[in-house]
Amino acid sequence: MLLLISLLAFLLCLGVSAPALAGKSTPYTYIRLGSAADVSPATTPGIVLMGGSTDVDAAFQWLCRLGGNGDFLIIRATGTDAYNPYIKGLCPGTNSVSTLIIPSVTAANLVAVRDIIARAEVLWIAGGDQSNYINFWKGTPVQATLNNRIAAGVPVGGTSAGLNVLTQFVYSAQGSQGATSSQALADPYNRYMTFERDFVALPMLQNTLGDTHFGARDRMGRSI
């Protein structure tokens, strides 16, 4: 009887503690497709600037080759892991394709997040809102490690907002809406015209301002 009571008490403790443990979560999301083991193949530098409309299969395959078919990492502040199966399907020989969602400064300052980026052979910055990338990642280990990997010869690319932050000068989209052509041309200093610089150190893209969705979102005027 004493043994039974002790066992019931033990199980009750497990029942109380398990939900508490299950409720704990990290402030970032990391989803990996492919091998769980890391590899370190030689890489070749390269840059893909994608306009933010339909993804270009050949561009991702080129990045996979430059990355030595190592570990391909997508970083973003919001969104899903939808790139994982798409890129893995295009590059079946690549070791892994992973998505790392970094939605806050807290997440961007974590050693675990830094280490995930540091092990990537290809880095891809997804679309979204570039103000999140500036507000959450600038001045954190995410920015520093991203630039360290680029300096080490890892290829990098981005689409839409991910393209915006790769050039030296960045339309940072800090306003409540993106500046339209008519707003920008009527008043280049209106409150929607916000800029950053030097988020990513890519020598080929110095003295450059990147922008996307020119026709669909009426952006020619703000670039002018």
Side-chain angles (χ1 to χ4, degrees):
M1 177 64 71
L2 181 60
L3 177 60
L4 178 60
I5 292 172
S6 298
L7 179 60
L8 288 172
F10 173 71
L11 291 174
L12 181 61
C13 287
L14 283 181
V16 171
S17 62
L21 291 172
K24 291 183 178 179
S25 62
T26 59
Y28 66 93
T29 301
Y30 179 58
I31 305 165
R32 184 176 178 116
L33 179 62
S35 174
D38 286 305
V39 294
S40 300
T43 61
T44 303
I47 306 168
V48 168
L49 302 176
M50 202 171 289
S53 182
T54 304
D55 287 319
V56 181
D57 295 355
F60 289 102
Q61 291 168 329
W62 183 70
L63 284 173
C64 290
R65 291 194 297 272
L66 293 183
N69 283 317
D71 297 303
F72 194 120
L73 179 65
I74 299 99
I75 59 173
R76 57 196 315 159
T78 59
T80 71
D81 65 333
Y83 267 122
N84 285 10
Y86 165 64
I87 296 173
K88 187 64 174 170
L90 293 172
C91 307
T94 202
N95 187 59
S96 72
V97 181
S98 303
T99 295
L100 176 61
I101 303 172
I102 314 165
S104 65
V105 175
T106 298
N109 277 304
L110 291 175
V111 171
V113 168
R114 179 202 66 192
D115 290 347
I116 291 168
I117 298 172
R119 292 192 294 268
E121 278 73 53
V122 182
L123 289 163
W124 180 260
I125 307 178
D129 183 342
Q130 63 262 38
S131 68
N132 288 333
Y133 302 157
I134 299 298
N135 294 335
F136 298 160
W137 303 350
K138 188 171 183 181
T140 72
V142 169
Q143 182 187 21
T145 309
L146 177 62
N147 283 312
N148 287 342
R149 295 305 288 150
I150 290 169
V154 165
V156 63
T159 184
S160 192
L163 180 156
N164 281 84
V165 297
L166 290 179
T167 53
Q168 181 183 13
F169 300 102
V170 179
Y171 176 79
S172 59
Q174 296 289 350
S176 59
Q177 65 184 54
T180 64
S181 290
S182 58
Q183 290 170 332
L185 294 173
D187 177 10
Y189 302 99
N190 79 73
R191 66 183 183 277
Y192 303 122
M193 296 291 283
T194 61
F195 297 91
E196 278 287 343
R197 60 180 295 165
D198 303 315
F199 179 75
V200 172
L202 284 164
M204 189 177 291
L205 297 180
Q206 295 297 292
N207 301 311
T208 304
L209 172 70
D211 211 343
T212 57
H213 306 290
F214 272 58
R217 302 185 188 176
D218 191 20
R219 290 178 173 171
M220 179 66 79
R222 81 182 188 191
S223 294
I224 293 173

